[in-house]
Amino acid sequence: MSNVVIIGGTTGIGRELAAHYAGLGHSVVLTGRDAERAEKAAAEIGGEVRGIALDLTQPHGVVDALADVGQVDRLALVAIHRDQNNVKEYDVTRAVDLVTLKLVGYTTVVHALLDRFTPNSSVLLFGGMAKDRPYPGSTNVSIVNAGVLGMVRTLVSELAPVRVNSIHPGAVGDSPYWSGADTMLEAVRAQTPTGRLATMAEVVNASVTLLENAGLNKVNLTIDGGLT
């Protein structure tokens, strides 16, 4: 059985990914900003799952927060803050939080767990399609998601033979984040050759493939149904 760490595993796709591995009998550590919420999510998933507090916007605390995590066979960095920002009305505080969380925070987690990887370990970074298709208010989201591509390139080199990949979902039809955005989702669906939106289960399935398939390395996978 593998030891799996899910950074940002209390809700949405991160939680579904944690539930997938727990359901197969793997040992899972999931994190959230709030200890009580992380512990509650872990208890609800059941199995050998532990929840701990970790705030990636405070990267100086990451090493201590992960100090008692043992061997790491699979690491998924899913945590995100949905910052609505644009250049005209730029909120620097929110921008710094997101950039710190995604770029500094993700990298600090890898640093903290470096000596707990094995040669067969794998790392998965979550980005998103705002890197290629900006939308109103996506300024910082587009920037940090593009930054994930650079992280993959350098981490593949620095962590070898540990594999590193990234996944970039488009609009996910059944994600809680998109709840109430029916008009926008319908517009996206109309431009998608498959005529449907990706689901959380499909994103989880693709994530597991990137984490488990030993032939996949330095892959930046788009999952959006071929949106034109």
Side-chain angles (χ1 to χ4, degrees):
M1 291 292 125
S2 296
N3 298 312
V4 181
V5 176
I6 312 289
I7 304 298
T10 59
T11 62
I13 292 168
R15 178 170 172 147
E16 294 299 313
L17 187 58
H20 169 87
Y21 276 106
L24 295 175
H26 298 292
S27 174
V28 178
V29 174
L30 64 81
T31 77
R33 289 192 179 191
D34 177 74
E36 183 177 349
R37 189 177 182 187
E39 291 166 2
K40 182 174 183 289
E44 290 172 349
I45 292 171
E48 195 176 342
V49 183
R50 180 163 63 101
I52 62 175
L54 181 67
D55 185 352
L56 294 187
T57 67
Q58 304 295 323
H60 291 291
V62 167
V63 171
D64 287 343
L66 298 174
D68 67 345
V69 174
Q71 177 177 308
V72 178
D73 300 303
R74 304 289 181 260
L75 170 63
L77 293 145
V78 190
I80 185 61
H81 170 60
R82 302 286 187 177
D83 175 34
Q84 290 286 320
N85 223 329
N86 59 69
V87 172
K88 184 176 181 180
E89 299 171 338
Y90 201 59
D91 187 315
V92 173
T93 299
R94 292 209 311 267
V96 169
D97 276 353
L98 177 57
V99 172
T100 301
L101 181 155
K102 192 87 170 186
L103 302 185
V104 180
Y106 275 24
T107 308
T108 305
V109 168
V110 175
H111 159 74
L113 298 176
L114 190 60
D115 63 353
R116 280 158 269 182
F117 292 138
T118 75
N120 295 317
S121 294
S122 63
V123 178
L124 179 63
L125 312 176
F126 269 70
M129 290 311 297
K131 67 181 176 58
D132 297 318
R133 294 191 292 270
Y135 54 84
S138 78
T139 300
N140 290 318
V141 176
S142 296
I143 290 168
V144 297
N145 285 346
V148 168
L149 302 179
M151 291 172 66
V152 169
R153 284 192 289 270
T154 189
L155 291 178
V156 164
S157 174
E158 292 191 59
L159 303 186
V162 173
R163 296 182 299 106
V164 183
N165 297 297
S166 71
I167 187 167
H168 300 268
V172 179
D174 59 348
S175 168
Y177 174 74
W178 298 107
S179 177
D182 295 345
T183 300
M184 186 280 295
L185 291 177
E186 185 55 40
V188 173
R189 187 180 293 109
Q191 299 177 65
T192 304
T194 58
R196 56 184 295 278
L197 302 174
T199 66
M200 288 200 295
E202 289 163 344
V203 176
V204 168
N205 181 271
S207 300
V208 171
T209 298
L210 291 170
L211 285 164
E212 299 299 331
N213 189 313
L216 297 177
N217 193 30
K218 203 176 179 181
V219 173
N220 298 297
L221 180 66
T222 297
I223 178 166
D224 67 354
L227 180 65
T228 56

